[in-house]
Amino acid sequence: MSVPFSQMVTVATYVLRQKRRRRTRYPLVLMLEPLFRCNLACAGCGKIQYPAHVLKRHLTVDQCLRAVEECGAPMVSIPGGEPLMYPEIGPLVEALVARKKYVYLCTNAILLKEKLQEGLFTPSKYLSFSVHMDGLRQDHDDAVCREGVFDEAVEGIREALRRGFRVTTNTTLFDNASPMSMQMFFDEMMDLGVEGMMLSPGYSYAKAPDQEHFLRRQKTHELFSKMLSNPKRRWKFNQSPLFLQFLMGKQDFECTPWGNPTYNMFGWQRPCYLLQEGYAATFQELLDTTPWERYGRASGNEKCQDCMVHCGHEPTAVNHTFSSWRGFRDTVVATITGKP
Amino acid sequence: MTSPAPDEAADERPLEGWCPHPSEVPLPEIVDQAFDYRGDVTVLRRGADPIVGYVYNRETGGPAPFLQMFQASDGAALTVPYAEIHTIHFTGRDPAAGKSYEAWLRRKAAGAGV
Ligand code: SF4
Ligand code: SF4
């Protein structure tokens, strides 16, 4: 694992506090979507298919900060759309860092170099650029449906690292992923000098144009087992080792969708980052009125049967770490040995 | 950018142009489809002007179900009770149509600017 120690302590303290208060449903990472606009149109993306007048809208910084306060999660992930196209991204990040939130700014990095050169951000242990990288050059360009994006992203990563920023990568894997290419990709990312990598299987969004290439559960286990059963020590993953074990089929976790609640211009999204089954006006309303029993694999909901996506299952893995000695031991062993 | 052949694109926009009649499809079902739809719709109201916009939420529970939408002309956020709705027409373009992975591969193979 490559998460900085201070972040681990913050998360551990937060989770233990929730447990002491006997809160069964608590948020870990707020998924804050200030806009849906993007400068790419990846076929597997379910986030950007809206009419032009919706794509032109965005949240205000005040709306974002109200959501952050309401929810109280120690980490804030800013996906989108492309957050670097959000006109208030600099002030928003500054305000989040001032509140000591660990921020993951999820970007395709096309604009990263330019924004860094404009001096929009200041390096901080609270801020990490999480760069969308779906594999080696050709695999990535195919995944984002545009040639040349991989090279632009690499340039952005280099610039961010040169300026002293934390940089991680986030990779979504589809059924055409090859374990060997992915292992080469891990080497390449570590050579670049990123702090760590985040992996997740893709989810078959009802609103994504491409419905054909998502991984099913068994295939996910096979792919992740092949990729990670003999990991190099230099590969660092910026995520719970138990979540990686879950992807490999070594752990069985249920979804806890309230762990990564999503806020955007429509409100608090029910039930999770992936499904759009309605919106609540407040975070408390989301917690109190979402029929949670209808979601997750055990519910029988067919939309959840093959889902192994991080936003539903990584909070479960983190919760598991602090729920039993076994969970804690598994996490410590995986962290020390570097073997998920 | 090359457009996909019309038949291929049509396969990818099943709801575009749908004008259901409330005597054939129950209104709550029409609203659900509008909520799932990726493009703008036209909400035809009883005794009032139609509204064109994007339906982003609906509340079916409670004594007075309603939908919420952003009006296309001025971006206003509107709440429309089901009781005021006659039907909904799926008039806007489906923004995901023609953007599948296969469509990208076709464009790439054709050497089109991508
Ligand atoms: S996956 Fe990310 S980069 Fe690709 S279109 Fe969606 S928001 Fe943009
Ligand atoms: S399993 Fe969880 S994260 Fe996945 S679709 Fe269902 S509710 Fe959402």
Side-chain angles (χ1 to χ4, degrees), chain A residues 17-34:
Chain A
R17 205 182 319 130
Q18 307 308 311
K19 292 200 163 288
R20 254 202 326 274
R21 289 183 187 163
R22 299 188 189 286
R23 259 183 109 184
T24 44
R25 294 191 180 117
Y26 60 87
L28 193 62
V29 183
L30 167 64
M31 310 296 283
L32 179 62
E33 300 178 314

Side-chain angles (χ1 to χ4, degrees), chain B residues 8-31:
Chain B
E8 288 159 347
D11 284 350
E12 294 179 8
R13 47 168 77 106
L15 282 177
E16 196 174 305
W18 190 43
C19 296
H21 197 278
S23 64
E24 286 155 11
V25 187
L27 185 68
E29 205 176 296
I30 298 174
V31 176

Side-chain angles (χ1 to χ4, degrees), chain A residues 43-44 174-176 203-205 208-216 219, chain B residues 11-12 100-103:
Chain A
F174 296 92
D175 70 351
N176 48 1
Y203 178 77
S204 169
Y205 284 104
D210 179 24
Q211 295 292 322
E212 303 296 319
H213 296 89
F214 294 96
L215 282 161
R216 303 294 166 221
K219 273 188 124 176
Chain B
D11 284 350
E12 294 179 8
S100 67
Y101 187 66
E102 276 65 31

